[in-house]
Amino acid sequence: MDALQAVRIALNWSKSKKVNYTLWVKQFIEETGAGAGAAGDGRGEAEADTLLEHGAFLAMWLTRYVLPAPPFDVVSPDVFPLAAGMARGRCSALAPAVLANIYNDLSALSHHLSLGTSHQPFVASAPLHILQLWVWERFPELRPEAEIPS
């Protein structure tokens, strides 16, 4: 986790002042390419690098696809403990967290509609296809019209 945080801090000094997905991936591609031919401590260093790279991938995957939250284009440090544990082989139940994220967005959507602000955009971070199916079931006025084949 400390290594992931160190990479994030180093990337915060970039021109964009945020750790977006492109910078995050580029950091590990360049690091892997540069370290491939270098002589080091051998096996221990290679294992540490592999563990860091795996943790970095999991951090990006968790941020982007499993637990997305605004801002949507940056790697969130909130997932580093989970990513580090998963990289080391610890099993983690992701379904409760994803379900909580969906319920949070559903509650926000319900509140948004009850305020009568349906003409204003609503930003959801939960998996949209699941949220959309639920909305179409619970709010018939938002369903698309069914096309009847002729």
Side-chain angles (χ1 to χ4, degrees), residues 21 58-69 79 82 86 92-102 125-127:
Y21 299 130
L58 288 169
M60 187 175 89
W61 176 73
L62 287 165
T63 301
R64 190 169 191 172
Y65 298 109
V66 180
L67 303 168
V79 301
L82 181 58
M86 290 175 73
S92 298
L94 298 177
V98 172
L99 189 59
N101 195 11
I102 290 170
S125 63

Side-chain angles (χ1 to χ4, degrees), residues 110-131:
S110 177
H111 182 69
H112 179 78
L113 293 174
S114 70
L115 291 176
T117 57
S118 59
H119 64 282
Q120 295 177 353
F122 175 76
V123 178
S125 63
L128 188 58
H129 60 284
I130 296 172
L131 183 63

Side-chain angles (χ1 to χ4, degrees), residues 3 22 29 36-37 91 138:
T22 304
I29 288 175
C91 292
R138 300 290 181 204

Side-chain angles (χ1 to χ4, degrees), residues 6-7 26 33 43 60 67 80 90 105 111 119 133 141:
V7 171
K26 187 177 178 183
R43 191 171 170 171
M60 187 175 89
L67 303 168
F80 287 175
R90 188 180 74 221
D105 275 0
H111 182 69
H119 64 282
L133 290 173
E141 67 273 7

